[in-house]
Amino acid sequence: MSKTVTFNDRPASDAAPVSLEEFANASNAAAVRIEPGEDVRDLLPHLERLALVEINFPVFGDGRGYSAAQILREHGFAGELRAIGDVLVDQLAYMLRCGFDSAAPNQPLNGQAVQDALNRYPHAYQKTSGTSPISGRGPIWEIRHE
Amino acid sequence: MYEYDQYDQAMVDARVEEFRDQTRRRLAGELTEDQFKPLRLMNGLYLQLHAYMLRVAIPYGTLNSEQMKMLGHIARKYDRGYGHFTTRQNIQYNWIKLEDAPDILADLATVEMHAIQTSGNCIRNISSDQFAGAAADELTDPRPWAELLRQWSSFHPEFSYLPRKFKIAVIASDEDRAAMRLHDIGIQLVRNDAGELGAKFFVGGGMGRTPMIGPEIRDFVPADELIHYAEACLRVYNRYGRRDNKYKARIKILVHELGAEEYTRQVEEEFAHMKTLGLNPPVAELARITEFFQDPAYDSRARDELDLTDPDFRIWVEQNTHPHKQTGYAIANISLKPTGGIPGDASADQIDLMADLAKEYSFDELRVTHAQNIVLPHVKKSDLYALWQKLDEAGLAPPNLDLISDMIACPGLDYCSLANARSIPVAQKIGERFADIGRQKELGELKLKISGCINACGHHHAGHIGILGVDRKGVENYQLSLGGSGAEDVSLAKITGPGFDEDGIVDAVEKVTDVYLRDRTNGERFVDTYRRIGMAPFKEALYD
Ligand code: HEM
Ligand code: SF4
């Protein structure tokens, strides 16, 4: 199993995720794994009992997982969001800003490279579900008009 | 013109450092070419037939003379002394070394420029009307809206790995000089009944192998909901756009397969949700940006009369200038289409000269057009003669704007690894065949567009006359099409029939123009005649 990298202080959950299909069959699982083609909205009625949602990126270029993450956060999901699969260091900052807490990449990542990537951009132009790592502040337009 | 504040500058500087690090890792062998490719593409760096190509963003085609000088500097220092202006109002350099790319980006950042999102499956540089802020027929200057969208789309974390690239154009007049409806999102600024400005959205236009004209999906989005609506359009696309086949991945296919109505319904649902999230910058932000686009200090006593006794000057004025909203001023177009030249190419010296002329005669401003020309947007009429003389001396005064030799041509097989055929030599041969300016003027407005393969970078679907290079049993062959338009009378060109070889296509172009001259009625442009009489007479002239 690959090593989980966390982006913040939240401890990584060790709940075992089930597939969305299994989850739908009245499981009382606290963790679920979402594939790119699946509709994450199916989870919205159950957010309260979920401790962990894993979002799979089978290839890094398939960006559906970013929307999935945003949708969960926009609807109040407060558990852990983890990116799994083909997660590369150069995508981490975007994941953070879409509300991910952690990543469990297929290929292990270099710790220093992770920190560099997460701390590269001082600000962000958009308001999204996650924070911008360095300033921890809202989008640039909000700062401009504070 | 927009000027960066500390935040804009910090973002661009961060990107330069990031790319320096990525390039270092690539050169040290820590990244494979496969891993590096998507990273360099986000910075406009392509690997071409002979070298790397770098595409530099010119947001909505506007730049000042200092920025233009920088483009000349890059051409001289890192390329072979020239650059190529593109149909997306950007500039490309064809002979770049990978190890130089970080330094080029650093140089660009010193003048508030970058290559961010000029390629890759993300939201690309926003294009606009090259006459924005100067045209007599515009409702408002579209560029503040384009700048708002530029900032929103830069490093957008949710929309950087879309199914395919995504192009947005913003215009604000009924005359469409930006091929707005051939973009993934086309926006026309309009007023509602209450007199407020807002955006009309067209979604799902595009060229490539399946050209489509974008249908209107909303007639009015208020200024303070623009970003919410754009987010909604993009989210539906990001979630449901096809990812199984790269040729069916553009949003036009999604809109087509769902139907515009169903796509619109999904966008509206998402829009209602977005509105609850407060993602839209306040109107104060649009107002802040708009401040940068105030009119320059026009001379209110500038006179409208113009001495046209010099016949060569007269031809240039008639063809290459456009009415300005301010009395006593004109919009001057610099054609980068000399006879026998490469459409859109300019040498470093020419780039420098245009920068100097902009400073002297056009309040320090230049524009790049989607037809691969340069515009000096605010020239006092009394300065036009001096300007023209200086342009003419440098080979920058071909009086051929919108005439047959003002062609759009993609790089084709001379540079492009995807090409089936060469585009540039065909453009040159057609230019030479129609070199006589009197003959060109007789033919009137005639938009000829050439692509070297089905990807349609040269807009051939939107040409009054379109030429497409194909590979026929290993031999370059050219298909001719007629009747397209990228303007407000938008339409897609239709193929005439079997293709031609390189010399044959030049003859074929001549034959169709002969049909036009024979059959036109008063005041008709080539495309009007074609629309009236249909394909048959042209086919007859070509194939019988
Ligand atoms: C030389 C390297 C280039 C490569 C490899 C390239 C590649 C492509 C590809 C693959 C497409 C089709 C995309 C699709 O339909 O999804 C395309 C479309 C296009 N490209 Fe290029 N291109 C190049 C240069 C240029 C240049 C120099 C220009 C501008 C003069 C340009 C402007 C465009 C435009 C306007 C389209 C049509 C896009 C649409 O369908 O909306 N490209 N290009
Ligand atoms: S149309 Fe084809 S040949 Fe021309 S630049 Fe585009 S991809 Fe290359």
Side-chain angles (χ1 to χ4, degrees):
Chain A
M1 199 41 216
S2 52
K3 203 164 150 275
T4 301
V5 186
T6 56
F7 306 157
N8 51 31
D9 299 338
R10 183 200 291 273
S13 161
D14 52 13
V18 298
S19 71
L20 185 62
E21 198 183 345
E22 288 161 344
F23 186 81
N25 294 332
S27 119
N28 50 10
V32 64
R33 172 175 308 161
I34 296 286
E35 300 298 329
E38 293 175 342
D39 192 351
V40 72
R41 295 209 154 96
D42 293 351
L43 291 180
L44 297 185
H46 314 289
L47 294 183
E48 301 246 319
R49 71 175 158 98
L50 281 169
L52 169 68
V53 176
E54 283 190 351
I55 296 183
N56 190 17
F57 291 81
V59 289
F60 74 86
D62 186 335
R64 284 177 283 187
Y66 296 94
S67 288
Q70 287 254 81
I71 289 168
L72 289 175
R73 289 295 188 220
E74 287 163 6
H75 287 85
F77 175 59
E80 180 184 345
L81 255 183
R82 185 182 300 164
I84 62 167
D86 190 19
V87 176
L88 308 176
V89 70
D90 299 280
Q91 280 92 53
L92 296 182
Y94 286 166
M95 289 179 168
L96 176 69
R97 293 196 42 229
C98 286
F100 284 96
D101 301 294
S102 58
N106 290 344
Q107 303 295 325
L109 301 174
N110 170 313
Q112 188 54 46
V114 170
Q115 283 316 309
D116 288 351
L118 291 176
N119 291 300
R120 176 83 62 194
Y121 287 90
H123 295 289
Y125 280 114
Q126 312 78 9
K127 182 167 165 186
T128 52
S129 316
T131 52
S132 139
I134 299 183
S135 73
R137 298 169 78 184
I140 289 171
W141 52 260
E142 201 171 87
I143 301 173
R144 280 176 179 146
H145 297 279
E146 259 164 13
Chain B
M1 264 190 59
Y2 186 70
E3 286 166 31
Y4 284 6
D5 64 5
Q6 66 193 94
Y7 304 108
D8 298 310
Q9 190 67 51
M11 295 299 280
V12 168
D13 291 345
R15 171 44 71 88
V16 174
E17 284 320 307
E18 178 179 52
F19 192 60
R20 199 178 282 290
D21 180 50
Q22 290 165 344
T23 306
R24 184 192 56 71
R25 281 152 58 205
R26 172 71 189 116
L27 290 170
E30 292 168 30
L31 287 175
T32 65
E33 172 54 23
D34 273 357
Q35 291 169 329
F36 183 57
K37 185 175 170 187
L39 306 177
R40 62 171 166 75
L41 284 179
M42 295 265 177
N43 291 286
L45 199 63
Y46 285 79
L47 190 54
Q48 282 303 293
L49 284 177
H50 315 290
Y52 281 96
M53 175 200 97
L54 179 70
R55 187 181 287 157
V56 175
I58 302 175
Y60 34 91
T62 293
L63 70 177
N64 63 25
S65 32
E66 188 190 19
Q67 293 172 323
M68 188 74 162
K69 283 251 155 140
M70 179 56 80
L71 298 181
H73 164 77
I74 290 168
R76 206 172 272 123
K77 179 157 176 203
Y78 303 103
D79 201 284
R80 297 188 176 174
Y82 60 93
H84 178 75
F85 290 95
T86 80
T87 54
R88 298 219 68 256
Q89 300 177 297
N90 294 325
I91 186 169
Q92 289 181 182
Y93 298 100
N94 284 313
W95 303 98
I96 295 300
K97 291 199 207 60
L98 176 58
E99 51 272 34
D100 286 339
D103 291 337
I104 301 176
L105 297 186
D107 284 357
L108 286 168
T110 63
V111 295
E112 306 183 0
M113 293 185 89
H114 58 75
I116 296 163
Q117 291 170 213
T118 55
S119 55
N121 294 333
C122 49
I123 304 172
R124 304 288 189 89
N125 186 33
I126 315 279
S127 58
S128 186
D129 184 343
Q130 68 269 19
F131 297 162
D137 65 345
E138 81 180 5
L139 191 64
T140 183
D141 189 336
R143 291 173 301 164
W145 299 65
E147 175 60 26
L148 192 76
L149 288 163
R150 181 191 76 82
Q151 295 190 20
W152 162 73
S153 61
S154 294
F155 313 109
H156 197 302
E158 188 179 337
F159 305 132
S160 288
Y161 294 92
L162 295 167
R164 203 73 179 85
K165 58 184 164 183
F166 204 91
K167 302 177 181 181
I168 302 178
V170 190
I171 65 169
S173 40
D174 286 333
E175 201 175 303
D176 178 3
R177 291 174 282 260
M180 180 271 288
R181 290 187 67 189
L182 296 169
H183 284 73
D184 297 284
I185 292 183
I187 292 175
Q188 182 177 1
L189 302 182
V190 292
R191 275 190 204 285
N192 65 7
D193 294 339
E196 296 149 348
L197 279 173
K200 184 186 277 194
F201 269 69
F202 299 85
V203 180
M207 290 187 255
R209 59 188 68 208
T210 349
M212 288 189 192
I213 296 168
E216 178 184 322
I217 68 156
R218 200 175 221 270
D219 60 359
F220 192 83
V221 178
D224 58 352
E225 298 289 4
L226 180 79
I227 298 303
H228 287 150
Y229 200 76
E231 286 264 351
C233 292
L234 264 298
R235 179 171 288 175
V236 173
Y237 171 55
N238 192 42
R239 299 190 75 209
Y240 298 112
R242 286 181 62 173
R243 292 176 188 261
D244 58 324
N245 177 342
K246 132 178 201 194
Y247 300 115
K248 296 192 179 341
R250 296 288 291 269
I251 195 174
K252 62 191 171 189
I253 305 292
L254 176 69
V255 174
H256 182 74
E257 287 181 352
L258 287 177
E261 216 167 289
E262 173 57 18
Y263 173 76
T264 308
R265 190 193 64 74
Q266 294 189 17
V267 169
E268 290 292 331
E269 202 176 287
E270 205 58 72
F271 180 47
H273 166 64
M274 294 296 173
K275 288 204 229 188
T276 66
L277 301 173
L279 310 179
N280 214 101
V283 282
E285 177 62 3
L286 183 59
R288 182 191 74 89
I289 295 172
T290 304
E291 278 300 305
F292 289 101
F293 293 93
Q294 298 306 314
D295 284 343
Y298 297 121
D299 174 359
S300 59
R301 290 162 313 165
R303 289 158 54 89
D304 237 10
E305 296 81 58
L306 199 52
D307 178 356
L308 293 172
T309 41
D310 182 333
D312 290 337
F313 175 58
R314 183 194 188 97
I315 292 180
W316 181 81
V317 168
E318 282 171 3
Q319 206 57 49
N320 285 34
T321 65
H322 188 88
H324 197 284
K325 64 182 183 185
Q326 177 74 21
T327 313
Y329 284 79
I331 300 172
N333 289 276
I334 302 175
S335 165
L336 299 182
K337 317 289 173 65
T339 304
I342 298 177
D345 269 17
S347 70
D349 291 345
Q350 287 178 324
I351 291 174
D352 279 353
L353 177 75
M354 291 188 277
D356 290 337
L357 294 175
K359 188 155 208 150
E360 192 170 352
Y361 296 117
S362 184
F363 295 99
D364 208 29
E365 238 191 76
L366 305 106
R367 310 290 174 79
V368 182
T369 85
H370 89 272
Q372 306 180 277
N373 293 317
I374 303 294
V375 171
L376 300 183
H378 315 290
V379 182
K380 218 190 233 191
K381 284 190 173 169
S382 55
D383 288 336
L384 278 175
Y385 192 66
L387 169 67
W388 171 75
Q389 284 179 310
K390 290 177 187 170
L391 287 173
D392 197 33
E393 231 167 79
L396 288 169
N400 60 352
L401 194 81
D402 294 338
L403 300 179
I404 190 167
S405 63
D406 182 15
M407 284 169 265
I408 292 180
C410 79
L413 199 53
D414 292 296
Y415 296 102
C416 177
S417 48
L418 305 177
N420 286 323
R422 288 167 302 155
S423 316
I424 293 168
V426 171
Q428 289 168 324
K429 284 189 176 171
I430 295 173
E432 279 153 18
R433 180 72 61 91
F434 290 90
D436 179 54
I437 192 69
R439 183 174 185 199
Q440 292 191 44
K441 287 192 71 127
E442 181 62 27
L443 289 171
E445 182 188 304
L446 214 178
K447 303 201 173 174
L448 194 147
K449 310 188 184 199
I450 310 174
S451 304
C453 82
I454 191 82
N455 288 319
C457 304
H459 287 200
H460 66 276
H461 301 296
H464 295 170
I465 297 178
I467 295 174
L468 166 63
V470 293
D471 177 282
R472 206 160 140 264
K473 302 194 186 93
V475 182
E476 292 167 69
N477 191 264
Y478 297 89
Q479 285 180 350
L480 184 69
S481 53
L482 303 176
S485 170
E488 59 284 358
D489 62 347
V490 61
S491 60
L492 300 173
K494 288 204 172 62
I495 295 177
T496 56
F500 305 88
D501 65 13
E502 191 176 314
D503 290 319
I505 190 71
V506 183
D507 293 337
V509 168
E510 190 162 35
K511 282 181 192 158
V512 297
T513 59
D514 287 343
V515 173
Y516 160 66
L517 291 176
R518 186 191 71 204
D519 290 355
R520 69 175 166 187
T521 60
N522 255 349
E524 261 184 356
R525 301 171 302 161
F526 176 90
V527 70
D528 302 325
T529 303
Y530 167 82
R531 285 173 182 159
R532 180 172 54 79
I533 67 179
M535 185 65 94
F538 294 97
K539 270 186 127 145
E540 201 173 300
L542 286 169
Y543 301 109
D544 283 354

